[in-house]
Amino acid sequence: MLNKVVTLQAEKKPHMQDDKNLSEIEIENQKIIQNKELSIWEALIPVFALIGMLAYNVFVFGDDALSGSNQFILLLGGAVAAIVGFKNKVSYERMIEEVAENIKSTAGAILILLMVGSLAGTWLISGIIPSMIYYGLQILNPTIFLVACLIICAVISIATGSSWTTAATVGIALIGIGEALGISLGMTAGAVLSGAYFGDKMSPMSDTTNLAPAMAGTDLFTHIRYMAYTTVPTFVVTIIFFIILGFTQTTTGEANTQLMLNDINKAFNITPWLFAVPILVIILIIKKTPPLIALLAGTILGGAFALIFQPHVVAQIAGVGKLNFESAYKGIMQAITVETSVATDNEVLKDLFTAGGMKKMLGTVWLILLAMVFGGVMDAIGALAKISSFMLSLFDSVFGLFASTVATCIGLNFTASDQYLAIVVPGKMYAQAYRDKGLAPENLSRTLEDSGTVTSVLIPWNTCGAYHSGVLGVPVIDYAFYAMFNWLSPFTTLLFAAFRIKIKQLASK
């Protein structure tokens, strides 16, 4: 949650005194670098190169593109940006410094990713996730499952203020239940993320919900109230979409479900007491405990509950017949760090009874790091500022201003690979333009969230897309269409702008 006062401060670093055409504005820890030498076409060269290379790479590798080749393409995109920078008198040192700053900003996200992997491991062997699946199969059926996912995740995300935490806890369990019910993983992930991002946008505890009004120059609760005009109708349409989608799903059959329930019971000791751990984690986050600490507590408690309720599973993981201190330690540590599987003869449950630990998250960490390389170089050469300024100059009408903001936010999610930059950069660059048009700052803050926050999860190399894809185990391309709330939100805000619905004017105008 961000409650800091945002200040603008011109800054020039000592070793950069020779970069006469470069200037930068520092906003908290985010810098907007401007380069007078750079033309708009030069700024777009790395973007077009990256999109072209990624498109061909996905064509060749398909779903395996995220296994490593896309990561290298991001590095090549950064190299193209660096060549453009060298041509425009940007030093290598400046580029490396901006890359380092970008990577530094992702340290918390990377640690949370690793902790999510460890939490998934201990929650599997403790029986927490199997218990969620067990009880979920009895309560939820395919007809109501998707809309239930949407609403459950929305409530949890409003309470916690975090789409990431929602996906890492209840989202993982819902993916398992959906797979057991025979529902497409893409559909389930789309419902989970639609609900999670609705809650993330509307929660006063969300960092982006605090950041957007700070950048635009309005207050938090004015921003939330004004954002509800576009967000609630979009969410209602999303609910209707998933209700209709639910009726298209065929039931798995009572006999198959019962067989699955029996096999879960054979592998684990199922008890409602296991829900104490996820409930405690959610309470910690509602109490504003840092997510990293809450997830660590959930991991440790998951390991303790595994020893209490599932000692036979821990023994199996450790490869021994009877537990002692050493084998118990080995079994828990393996679940935390590497891939573990719980034995079952049920083919459907084999995937559900497998967790990857911290090791599973390394591919996502790799993707985030190299996305930050590309974004850092683009920022260092002044390309991000140039593209934003160009977009601002294209339009003169009120609708054009809104459209330019939306395009810039989405473009920055593609190029800078970070939703915070997609809020910070347009927020500061468009604030004066909104004032000049006589528009209240909440118009800008709402548009930043409607286009910057929610679309980040639809881009595979963005930190949010990489995170959720890694946590849920579903490629972005599989869930992108079904994450209806996320891609519909920018269209809703443009629709409101086109018909001048709830476009608040400045009092002085």
Side-chain angles (χ1 to χ4, degrees):
M1 182 175 177
L2 297 173
N3 290 313
K4 299 177 183 176
V5 176
V6 179
T7 58
L8 293 179
Q9 176 183 351
E11 176 186 305
K12 187 174 274 191
K13 300 217 168 48
H15 72 277
M16 295 174 183
Q17 294 293 329
D18 294 334
D19 295 334
K20 294 179 181 178
N21 293 294
L22 292 174
S23 62
E24 63 185 42
I25 297 171
E26 185 159 352
I27 305 167
E28 295 188 16
N29 292 320
Q30 303 285 2
K31 291 186 289 294
I32 301 173
I33 297 176
Q34 298 176 329
N35 185 354
K36 295 177 183 177
E37 292 278 339
L38 195 70
S39 72
I40 181 59
W41 298 113
E42 289 173 320
L44 288 171
I45 287 172
V47 178
F48 292 143
L50 178 67
I51 292 173
M53 289 187 291
L54 284 171
Y56 182 74
N57 196 60
V58 171
F59 171 76
V60 172
F61 287 96
D63 289 344
D64 291 332
L66 281 175
S67 300
S69 54
N70 268 3
Q71 285 88 325
F72 186 70
I73 293 299
L74 285 165
L75 191 61
L76 289 179
V80 172
I83 292 169
V84 173
F86 290 138
K87 180 181 178 297
N88 287 277
K89 304 177 183 179
V90 182
S91 66
Y92 175 79
E93 289 76 15
R94 175 177 279 272
M95 295 184 207
I96 291 297
E97 180 175 314
E98 289 306 312
V99 168
E101 285 294 321
N102 269 19
I103 291 175
K104 180 182 176 182
S105 71
T106 65
I110 288 171
L111 289 173
I112 288 174
L113 262 175
L114 294 174
M115 198 52 60
V116 166
S118 65
L119 179 137
T122 60
W123 281 22
L124 170 67
I125 66 169
S126 64
I128 294 171
I129 291 176
S131 291
M132 290 179 176
I133 296 170
Y134 182 85
Y135 291 113
L137 285 172
Q138 297 180 65
I139 297 171
L140 301 174
N141 64 66
T143 303
I144 66 165
F145 175 72
L146 291 172
V147 74
C149 285
L150 181 71
I151 294 169
I152 289 168
C153 289
V155 172
I156 296 297
S157 193
I158 287 173
T160 62
S162 172
S163 59
W164 285 34
T165 303
T166 302
T169 51
V170 69
I172 292 174
L174 290 170
I175 287 288
I177 296 169
E179 188 172 5
L181 287 171
I183 293 175
S184 159
L185 292 181
M187 290 182 186
T188 306
V192 166
L193 293 174
S194 290
Y197 272 82
F198 168 80
D200 192 307
K201 278 183 67 180
M202 299 304 292
S203 174
M205 292 186 291
S206 166
D207 48 6
T208 56
T209 307
N210 281 267
L211 183 61
M215 294 299 104
T218 187
D219 67 90
L220 173 63
F221 290 102
T222 298
H223 166 63
I224 291 175
R225 285 195 300 271
Y226 205 67
M227 191 165 52
Y229 292 128
T230 56
T231 302
V232 173
T234 306
F235 191 63
V236 170
V237 172
T238 306
I239 289 174
I240 295 169
F241 170 74
F242 280 108
I243 289 173
I244 295 171
L245 198 60
F247 281 108
T248 68
Q249 303 304 301
T250 55
T251 57
T252 18
E254 188 178 343
N256 290 341
T257 304
Q258 190 56 51
L259 177 63
M260 199 175 297
L261 294 172
N262 292 338
D263 287 339
I264 294 173
N265 251 326
K266 287 179 186 176
F268 294 92
N269 294 322
I270 302 298
T271 170
W273 286 107
L274 292 167
F275 288 103
V277 177
I279 289 171
L280 179 61
V281 171
I282 291 171
I283 289 172
L284 285 174
I285 293 172
I286 291 174
K287 294 290 185 181
K288 302 181 183 179
T289 305
L292 193 60
I293 296 174
L295 292 172
L296 176 61
T299 299
I300 294 171
L301 284 172
F305 272 52
L307 294 174
I308 296 169
F309 293 101
Q310 322 293 343
H312 63 290
V313 174
V314 180
Q316 177 205 315
I317 299 297
V320 297
K322 188 176 180 180
L323 280 180
N324 54 30
F325 182 83
E326 182 181 342
S327 58
Y329 173 81
K330 181 180 178 182
I332 298 296
M333 287 302 291
Q334 282 188 292
I336 289 173
T337 55
V338 297
E339 182 175 304
T340 51
S341 298
V342 178
T344 179
D345 294 327
N346 190 310
E347 289 298 322
V348 175
L349 292 175
K350 281 185 178 179
D351 287 340
L352 298 177
F353 285 1
T354 301
M358 287 183 169
K359 184 179 179 181
K360 180 185 177 183
M361 298 299 170
L362 293 180
T364 305
V365 170
W366 181 16
L367 181 66
I368 289 173
L369 290 176
L370 292 182
M372 290 299 99
V373 171
F374 177 74
V377 177
M378 285 289 285
D379 194 11
I381 68 175
L384 300 185
K386 180 64 69 174
I387 293 170
S388 297
S389 298
F390 175 75
M391 292 300 300
L392 182 57
S393 69
L394 287 179
F395 303 102
D396 187 50
S397 67
V398 169
F399 175 76
L401 181 58
F402 279 86
S404 177
T405 308
V406 170
T408 303
C409 289
I410 295 174
L412 283 167
N413 268 326
F414 268 94
T415 55
S417 307
D418 182 77
Q419 70 171 347
Y420 297 105
L421 283 174
I423 293 173
V424 169
V425 175
K428 281 298 143 192
M429 292 194 161
Y430 285 87
Q432 185 59 48
Y434 276 74
R435 287 193 291 271
D436 291 343
K437 291 288 185 185
L439 300 172
E442 46 265 40
N443 292 287
L444 174 57
S445 66
R446 181 178 73 185
T447 308
L448 293 175
E449 286 251 67
D450 283 345
S451 51
T453 299
V454 296
T455 60
S456 58
V457 75
L458 303 176
I459 300 161
W461 56 89
N462 189 286
T463 50
C464 293
Y467 172 86
H468 289 294
S469 177
V471 165
L472 298 176
V474 183
V476 173
I477 195 171
D478 288 355
Y479 70 64
F481 172 75
Y482 298 106
M484 187 178 188
F485 177 81
N486 300 73
W487 59 258
L488 187 59
S489 291
F491 290 103
T492 305
T493 206
L494 289 177
L495 184 68
F496 273 56
F499 290 96
R500 298 294 186 96
I501 304 170
K502 295 298 180 183
I503 304 300
K504 188 176 179 181
Q505 303 293 308
L506 284 171
S508 60
K509 293 287 181 179

